[in-house]
Amino acid sequence: MRLTLRPTLRPATNNGSIFCRRRALGCLSLLTGLFSFISFDLLQHSQAQSSSPSKEIFTDITEKAGINWRHFSGESEDRFLIETMGGGVAFLDFDGDGLQDLLFVNGGETPHGKSPVPVRNALYHNLGNGKFEEVAAKAGVDRLPFYGMGVAAGDFDNDGFPDLYVTGFPSSALFHNNGDGTFTDITDRAGVKNAGRWAASAAWFDFDRDGYLDLVVTNYARFSFDDIKKCELNGLRTYCEQKAYSGMPLTLYHNNGDGTFTDVSEKSGFANLIGRALGVVPIDVNDDGWPDLFVARDASPNLLLLNNRNGTFEDSAVDADVAYDPRGLAKAGMGVDAADFNGDGKPDFVVTNFNDEYHSLFIGTSSLLYTDQTVTSRLAAYTKSYVGWGTHFIDYDNDGNLDLLIVNGHINQVVETTRVDVKYEEPPLLLRNDGKGVFRDMREQAGSVFQSGYRARGLAVGDFDNDGGVDAVFTRLDGKPVLLRNNVGQNHSWVGFELQGTKSNRDAVGAKITVRIGNRKLVRWITAGASYLSSHDKRVVVGMGDGPTSANVDVEIQWPNGRIQRLSRLKLKRYHKIVEPTANEPTGGKRK
Amino acid sequence: MHQLFYNATQDNSAETHSAEGRALAKVGNLQSAEAELRKAVASAPGKAEFLRDLATVLAMEKKLDESTSYFQRGLKIDPRDFVARRYLAANLWQLHRYAEARQNLRMLLNANPGDPQALLLLGMVSENTKDYATAAKTLASVPTLVRAQPESIAALARSYYHIRETEKARAWLNKLQNHAAGVRAVFLGVQIADEMQDYKTAEKLLSSLAQHYSDQTDLRYRLALVKFHAQQFEESRQILQQLIDDGYKTSEVNRLLASCFRAQNRHEEAMHALQEAIQLDPANEASYLDLASILLAQKQISSAMELAQRMAKAFPDSSRVFASKGSIELGAGDFTDAVSSFTRAAQLEPASSDATIGLARAQANAGMPEQAKATLDSAIGRFHEKARFELELGQVLLKEAETGNKGAEVRAEQLLNSAVAHDSRLAEAHYELGDLALRRGQAARALIHLEKAAKLAPSSAKTHFALSRAYRQLGQKEEAAKQAALYDQLKEKETPRAPDPSSDTPPSN
């Protein structure tokens, strides 16, 4: 059963336009002009509460939004490493009402870390008025039969409703979105249990371009609650370093298109890629139209898996100079994101690492060789003392330059007794890109959250109030998450895209969007996965600063199946729902 | 008139004290002799002969500094007193004031080119200052005098080894087998041969004692030591095991046995042997230090920390113990405690460069880079091993430069260049200069330094990694792949396997 329309929940906006729900075609206006037949204009909905001016860039609205769920790690004297690693968060519009909802994945109990109340996930339904309602139990996603870690939201069956893959230990689960506000656990039927493994991040991507989202799962380490590793510092039990745990191979599931998956880890070569993998982002690195993968690994070399277009992948991380630090040491890679940071049209990568290692910034060049610009970008200076987790390139002020949001937090409380410059609870970082490849720390302007310490882990971004300013949410170990409303993004010009594949996967994961404004070219990709344990709003917002008018904004979309489509004269400050043209429709472009 | 009478009286009194002093010295009563001679000098301070006699007695009493100053005073009055100058040179040699010793010996030899005593001393001074060619030539010119003392034979043999005249070195060491000094002379020969890695000669000298040296267990221990140095670990271990089986259980034997086990990667047995050594001689800190070193290398951090606490209690005044404790704390990520331990180590032995470098590293890791820089800056002025400290400070500054301090990078580069100028064998300094060039995109320049570093430290994984990056940046893919493969091999050796669940592992910090 599908959700029924609830127009009374949609307040009129300042400009008088009426917000339209997806698939409610009656209230979607057809674009006029050359490409009107392929593009729907999703009218801009701007919620009243988000337009109020504020001095800070991001405001913590968690409490105001009614989000009071808490993460539970099961921390105990046993000091199981898993207690330090969770949990994930997803922005997704699970009920198709055009508003981004939130799913939080909880951890679980450990042999001596018991919860006084049942450990539950939370699914917060966005009510559209700045408030959220917790509906996990009603939706059937509140309980997990395993210790929960992360989440990847993606419409694997192309039915228009995002499904959920929830990772954990010693198994993971796939929840099919029934389209009526509920989910069904179809893990066993689908064959994606990932049994016996400690899974961390997962990402949906269509590696064989057959139009169905496949699934890559990063598995962290060989682990058992029966295997207690003892480490002490200053007489206190503490967590042993990650190298005490052997790494695991990645898992790759091929979507058969019939609701089932085939484990192709062996066939693809993933089974041989053993290491402590935590973060993953699919992206077309070499611009051949096929999705590749960057995998961030913890004290194991990072992987850059190039898609051989035949179901196998080749690791080119060493050749690309992204596997190790300059001394040949594998950093403690946790989160990862990919985007065109420097505006040259090629994907760059950010990887979060441990304190003293600095989070890494790898910039693409004309060849496959990347240059490490961690130091020159000043990322090293800003991240020296932090243990980083979730991260995302985000153009928070919509000036067209991708900035960087990173959440941090140490894993050992005892660290504060061993050194003077590292804290257990660490602030998130908002780093502004000056357009020349150098970051500036915005903590003074970013808001009080950026001056407070947290044990943050998962980070997801999404525009929950549909105002074009990309908002963010991060999870906290054993704490309440933090929902941040963007107060500045809507002040600049922007254009938003919600792509819907037809021949390509419906989420259009892997699509490349190129926006031309005069001489400036802005390239964005739809990347499922990325960050750490988390899943973002799949819509893309392209900021344009103060300059452009709709007359000179041209767009090229390279769909995941390689087809190229060109659009022009898009209206600004609104989301455009663009449906992939069918084979017979003209696109204005060629196939890649 | 009155004045003349007074001086004559003084002279008579001084002569009397001098004569008395000499007589006492001849019968070995040095303390009384010194007192009489002091009275003589006090009565006639301008008389060179009295000054020389007092200086000679003081030298016999090993009061070398004071003796030296009296010789120097006497020689100012009578510069042609060759005996006094020879004794002065001997004093200066013993005081390691080699340049002054050499200057006085040259004066003697200018006056009397064949002076055999002066030649002997000049040979010894040259050997001490590593001028082995001069040492060999000079000592060989006075063979009779050299033959008289095992130490001078040792000096000549060592010099021959250094100038690669091995057969001559062996011939001189062989003379020690029948030396009047007996077993002591042979052991000195063994020591020289062992030190110069001529293990066959060392063993031959030891075997010459097989028939008539009463302490056969000591002989076997020494043989095991030579075999250990010759990297014949299994043979050494067997000798030591046999000694233990025969009831000759000592701390030293167990320590050497532990070293054999360690060299054979039998770490558990090594630790067991060291625990035995500690039980046998709990007052010997060396066994604790060896055990701590193994525990740290094996990343058995909890056990190492426990041992560090025990060591610190047992040897509260040992710099080496506190330096070891600091190293363990560094390994454990307990940086602030490491700062305290290394501070204590440096206080106990201000001349310890290891303690000072450990302190700087601990400070840098504890988030106190300013203190680390101050420690190293001050050490550069204080220590002879400038290059080591320049390298260390360069590394701290490079780390600082990574967070955006351009000035730090400039100074780091200067220090690293200075370090390689002071000691061109510092592989790490070449590596850092290569890495710096790579960071700046100067791959060709990086190659020059990195290749030097690889030559000096061929098993450094990170150097081969940097070389692979440099070649890749230069488009030399094949060479890059070769270096990357080397890196993989070396890295594999460096990386310990994930420990089994029962062993303790380092904390994450």
Side-chain angles (χ1 to χ4, degrees):
Chain A
M1 195 179 105
R2 301 244 160 160
L3 283 182
T4 54
L5 289 169
R6 287 184 295 177
T8 52
L9 292 175
R10 312 280 157 251
T13 59
N14 291 344
N15 62 14
S17 63
I18 296 170
F19 184 77
C20 298
R21 305 182 65 175
R22 271 166 62 180
R23 288 176 298 283
L25 296 182
C27 61
L28 292 170
S29 67
L30 284 174
L31 271 177
T32 54
L34 186 61
F35 301 107
S36 61
F37 55 92
I38 46 86
S39 179
F40 294 107
D41 177 8
L42 191 68
L43 294 179
Q44 172 56 20
H45 166 76
S46 180
Q47 292 176 356
Q49 76 281 357
S50 66
S51 60
S52 60
S54 172
K55 284 181 183 171
E56 56 185 16
I57 297 167
F58 284 103
T59 300
D60 178 358
I61 59 152
T62 317
E63 206 172 321
K64 210 168 152 188
I67 294 171
N68 52 20
W69 170 88
R70 287 182 75 90
H71 177 262
F72 181 80
S73 73
E75 181 183 324
S76 72
E77 276 305 302
D78 294 329
R79 294 289 187 262
F80 291 111
L81 191 57
I82 201 167
E83 299 161 12
T84 69
M85 305 290 283
V89 54
F91 265 118
L92 76 162
D93 178 8
F94 82 93
D95 57 348
D97 64 358
L99 294 169
Q100 289 289 312
D101 311 300
L102 286 165
L103 179 96
F104 296 101
V105 179
N106 216 331
E109 295 187 325
T110 58
H112 296 104
K114 301 297 180 192
S115 170
V117 294
V119 179
R120 296 178 187 277
N121 302 322
L123 177 62
Y124 280 99
H125 178 227
N126 187 344
L127 302 178
N129 56 358
K131 302 276 186 198
F132 288 78
E133 180 190 7
E134 210 287 297
V135 297
K138 200 161 70 179
V141 292
D142 60 327
R143 301 300 298 273
L144 297 172
F146 50 81
Y147 189 104
M149 289 293 294
V151 57
D155 183 5
F156 79 84
D157 56 352
N158 295 333
D159 67 354
F161 291 94
D163 309 294
L164 293 169
Y165 188 71
V166 179
T167 62
F169 168 79
S171 60
S172 299
L174 178 59
F175 292 96
H176 176 249
N177 189 333
N178 303 320
D180 59 358
T182 68
F183 291 81
T184 302
D185 183 344
I186 59 159
T187 314
D188 289 332
R189 185 168 18 119
V192 290
K193 195 169 183 179
N194 203 34
R197 292 182 168 183
W198 174 3
S201 298
W204 294 101
F205 76 128
D206 183 8
F207 74 83
D208 57 352
R209 303 205 323 184
D210 65 354
Y212 288 95
L213 287 174
D214 309 299
L215 182 64
V216 57
V217 184
T218 64
N219 296 307
Y220 184 52
R222 201 169 291 281
F223 179 81
S224 164
F225 283 122
D226 297 328
D227 175 13
I228 300 175
K229 296 185 191 295
K230 289 181 182 171
C231 287
E232 283 187 359
L233 200 53
N234 288 336
L236 296 171
R237 273 295 291 279
T238 186
Y239 295 99
C240 294
E241 67 172 3
Q242 75 286 71
K243 287 181 199 163
Y245 300 82
S246 308
M248 294 291 285
L250 300 171
T251 304
L252 182 62
Y253 290 114
H254 175 250
N255 186 339
N256 301 324
D258 59 359
T260 69
F261 290 75
T262 303
D263 186 340
V264 292
S265 307
E266 289 285 348
K267 195 176 152 192
S268 62
F270 280 27
N272 301 322
L273 301 170
I274 294 167
R276 289 167 288 265
L278 285 176
V280 60
V281 58
I283 189 133
D284 180 7
V285 169
N286 48 6
D287 203 27
D288 65 352
W290 291 72
D292 312 299
L293 288 174
F294 190 109
V295 182
R297 302 201 297 180
D298 186 6
S300 304
N302 295 323
L303 303 172
L304 184 63
L305 302 172
L306 298 186
N307 191 330
N308 290 331
R309 310 181 205 180
N310 60 2
T312 68
F313 290 78
E314 185 181 337
D315 179 22
S316 298
V318 171
D319 288 340
D321 217 2
V322 297
Y324 299 96
D325 80 353
R327 288 167 187 263
L329 297 174
K331 290 186 179 185
M334 260 83 84
V336 62
D337 194 25
D340 178 16
F341 166 72
N342 61 347
D344 66 354
K346 299 178 188 69
D348 310 305
F349 295 101
V350 62
V351 183
T352 54
N353 301 304
F354 218 72
N355 58 267
D356 296 324
E357 295 179 337
Y358 320 128
H359 305 346
S360 305
L361 180 66
F362 299 113
I363 300 294
T365 64
S366 53
S367 66
L368 191 61
L369 190 63
Y370 277 74
T371 65
D372 186 334
Q373 294 196 5
T374 305
V375 171
T376 49
S377 67
R378 295 194 58 74
L379 185 59
Y382 297 132
T383 61
K384 182 181 184 300
S385 304
Y386 298 139
V387 178
W389 303 88
T391 184
H392 198 71
F393 285 111
I394 171 177
D395 182 6
Y396 73 88
D397 54 357
N398 281 332
D399 67 351
N401 298 321
L402 285 171
D403 313 298
L404 194 53
L405 186 57
I406 305 167
V407 295
N408 305 295
H410 209 279
I411 64 169
N412 267 330
Q413 195 153 18
V414 74
V415 70
E416 294 185 17
T417 68
T418 68
R419 52 190 298 171
V420 299
D421 59 337
V422 178
K423 301 285 176 226
Y424 181 45
E425 298 192 326
E426 302 172 333
L429 284 167
L430 179 65
L431 303 177
R432 186 170 193 273
N433 177 356
D434 72 353
K436 294 169 189 161
V438 178
F439 289 115
R440 184 178 144 211
D441 188 352
M442 300 300 291
R443 81 178 59 211
E444 296 297 326
Q445 299 91 338
S448 58
V449 165
F450 293 82
Q451 293 169 28
S452 309
Y454 301 93
R455 283 177 282 159
R457 295 295 184 265
L459 165 74
V461 302
D463 184 6
F464 76 82
D465 50 8
N466 289 326
D467 65 353
V470 179
D471 311 297
V473 62
F474 66 85
T475 63
R476 294 163 58 199
L477 199 67
D478 288 314
K480 284 185 189 174
V482 176
L483 177 61
L484 295 168
R485 189 188 64 215
N486 184 333
N487 299 314
V488 302
Q490 63 273 36
N491 298 332
H492 277 143
S493 290
W494 58 276
V495 60
F497 298 93
E498 180 182 353
L499 302 193
Q500 182 182 311
T502 53
K503 186 154 174 47
S504 302
N505 68 84
R506 184 166 174 133
D507 282 350
V509 171
K512 179 180 175 184
I513 301 167
T514 305
V515 175
R516 285 191 173 78
I517 323 148
N519 290 330
R520 199 170 181 193
K521 190 173 91 169
L522 301 168
V523 178
R524 304 288 185 263
W525 288 266
I526 296 182
T527 55
S531 190
Y532 173 71
L533 304 180
S534 301
S535 194
H536 310 291
D537 183 348
K538 289 188 179 55
R539 296 173 301 172
V540 167
V541 175
V542 183
M544 299 175 191
D546 293 323
T549 63
S550 61
N552 56 4
V553 176
D554 298 323
V555 179
E556 179 186 287
I557 296 170
Q558 184 184 313
W559 289 90
N561 73 353
R563 195 151 197 213
I564 289 173
Q565 177 183 7
R566 295 206 170 91
L567 309 163
S568 64
R569 303 171 75 87
L570 291 186
K571 284 183 182 171
L572 299 181
K573 291 208 169 188
R574 65 183 53 203
Y575 282 99
H576 298 269
K577 180 169 180 178
I578 298 169
V579 179
E580 182 181 13
T582 57
N584 300 326
E585 290 173 309
T587 61
K590 291 179 181 172
R591 191 179 186 83
K592 179 113 184 177
Chain B
M1 186 65 193
H2 176 79
Q3 186 64 39
L4 278 173
F5 175 76
Y6 176 79
N7 284 345
T9 311
Q10 269 193 331
D11 278 356
N12 285 341
S13 160
E15 287 291 354
T16 308
H17 287 304
S18 169
E20 187 65 19
R22 282 186 203 177
L24 286 164
K26 273 186 186 165
V27 296
N29 188 348
L30 297 178
Q31 207 176 343
S32 302
E34 179 193 329
E36 287 301 319
L37 289 166
R38 279 189 192 280
K39 286 175 192 166
V41 168
S43 298
K47 193 136 184 180
E49 187 189 337
F50 294 169
L51 289 163
R52 186 193 67 197
D53 288 347
L54 174 58
T56 306
V57 168
L58 287 169
M60 289 164 81
E61 291 179 292
K62 302 284 177 206
K63 296 174 179 175
L64 295 180
D65 282 314
E66 197 182 3
S67 165
T68 299
S69 75
Y70 279 109
F71 277 131
Q72 284 169 332
R73 275 172 64 185
L75 282 164
K76 269 188 189 165
I77 297 162
D78 181 6
R80 294 190 57 76
D81 183 345
F82 296 132
V83 175
R85 196 169 294 286
R86 196 179 298 121
Y87 287 169
L88 170 64
N91 266 6
L92 291 167
W93 170 57
Q94 288 178 81
L95 288 167
H96 307 291
R97 289 160 63 176
Y98 299 123
E100 293 165 79
R102 188 181 281 114
Q103 192 184 2
N104 281 284
L105 291 166
R106 290 278 176 223
M107 287 164 77
L108 282 171
L109 289 166
N110 283 342
N112 181 6
D115 181 343
Q117 295 288 349
L119 284 168
L120 179 71
L121 269 176
L122 183 62
M124 299 302 278
V125 168
S126 300
E127 198 265 343
N128 283 134
T129 53
K130 299 182 180 176
D131 180 1
Y132 297 113
T134 305
K137 189 178 161 191
T138 314
L139 290 172
S141 71
V142 284
T144 311
L145 282 180
V146 168
R147 245 192 306 271
Q149 294 295 333
E151 285 78 12
S152 46
I153 293 176
L156 178 55
R158 191 192 274 123
S159 299
Y160 275 136
Y161 275 122
H162 276 288
I163 60 172
R164 299 187 180 183
E165 295 204 29
T166 308
E167 286 312 316
K168 284 183 182 172
R170 285 177 179 155
W172 276 97
L173 289 183
N174 282 336
K175 293 183 200 305
L176 292 169
Q177 289 183 49
N178 304 309
H179 199 277
V183 172
R184 182 180 73 83
V186 181
F187 284 152
L188 184 60
V190 172
Q191 184 193 318
I192 298 296
D194 189 15
E195 177 190 318
M196 299 312 298
Q197 300 178 7
D198 183 2
Y199 302 114
K200 275 189 181 167
T201 300
E203 283 192 37
K204 189 178 155 195
L205 286 167
L206 281 174
S207 65
S208 75
L209 295 173
Q211 301 302 318
H212 52 275
Y213 183 47
S214 57
D215 190 348
Q216 288 296 308
T217 49
D218 179 43
L219 200 61
R220 283 156 72 193
Y221 172 76
R222 286 172 190 268
L223 181 62
L225 189 60
V226 169
K227 287 193 177 293
F228 174 78
H229 290 154
Q231 301 191 8
Q232 295 169 15
F233 303 121
E234 183 52 24
E235 289 173 52
S236 178
R237 188 198 66 77
Q238 283 176 11
I239 294 168
L240 295 163
Q241 196 58 61
Q242 195 59 54
L243 277 172
I244 290 170
D245 292 347
D246 292 348
Y248 189 70
K249 257 187 176 183
T250 69
S251 166
E252 286 304 303
V253 167
N254 273 284
R255 277 190 59 217
L256 185 55
L257 179 63
S259 299
C260 291
F261 282 133
R262 195 176 181 185
Q264 294 176 306
N265 289 320
R266 295 161 67 175
H267 300 292
E268 286 301 319
E269 287 155 294
M271 287 187 272
H272 180 72
L274 286 167
Q275 277 151 357
E276 288 266 307
I278 290 169
Q279 273 187 353
L280 288 163
D281 183 5
N284 184 355
E285 70 175 38
S287 307
Y288 292 85
L289 293 170
D290 286 355
L291 181 56
S293 160
I294 297 181
L295 288 168
L296 188 57
Q298 292 302 301
K299 294 192 186 289
Q300 297 197 17
I301 301 294
S302 299
S303 307
M305 289 286 272
E306 207 174 290
L307 181 70
Q309 299 298 341
R310 269 174 67 201
M311 284 196 298
K313 269 190 192 159
F315 308 98
D317 298 320
S318 165
S319 171
R320 292 208 305 156
V321 159
F322 277 90
S324 170
K325 182 169 179 275
S327 298
I328 290 166
E329 286 157 346
L330 265 183
D334 187 1
F335 304 123
T336 45
D337 281 353
V339 169
S340 304
S341 295
F342 279 118
T343 301
R344 175 96 180 114
Q347 280 167 351
L348 288 165
E349 194 182 341
S352 165
S353 52
D354 287 343
T356 307
I357 282 182
L359 174 60
R361 285 183 185 167
Q363 287 168 328
N365 279 292
M368 302 152 70
E370 293 308 316
Q371 289 91 326
K373 283 190 286 181
T375 300
L376 293 166
D377 255 328
S378 125
I380 288 173
R382 280 191 300 125
F383 285 89
H384 285 297
E385 308 149 276
K386 265 193 181 350
R388 205 176 155 203
F389 290 98
E390 286 169 334
L391 165 62
E392 204 72 26
L393 181 54
Q395 287 175 319
V396 172
L397 287 165
L398 281 176
K399 205 75 191 154
E400 189 175 323
E402 287 176 355
T403 57
N405 184 343
K406 283 275 171 202
E409 187 175 299
V410 171
R411 176 143 193 250
E413 189 175 16
Q414 285 166 352
L415 283 161
L416 292 168
N417 279 319
S418 176
V420 293
H422 283 126
D423 184 354
S424 61
R425 295 160 306 161
L426 271 184
E428 193 69 12
H430 285 293
Y431 167 79
E432 294 292 1
L433 284 165
D435 186 52
L436 188 58
L438 260 185
R439 275 195 232 171
R440 293 171 175 164
Q442 301 163 343
R445 189 174 172 178
L447 266 190
I448 297 168
H449 284 293
L450 293 171
E451 276 170 353
K452 276 184 194 164
K455 206 170 175 186
L456 290 163
S459 54
S460 160
K462 69 179 178 188
T463 302
H464 292 287
F465 183 76
L467 274 168
S468 76
R469 294 181 66 222
Y471 281 120
R472 202 174 296 122
Q473 286 183 17
L474 290 167
Q476 298 181 35
K477 286 185 181 172
E478 221 168 277
E479 197 53 43
K482 254 190 227 169
Q483 293 294 337
L486 258 174
Y487 161 78
D488 282 337
Q489 281 171 22
L490 293 165
K491 189 77 194 156
E492 186 74 22
K493 283 183 196 165
E494 280 177 9
T495 313
R497 286 178 296 115
D500 65 62
S502 58
S503 67
D504 52 357
T505 52
S508 184
N509 201 350

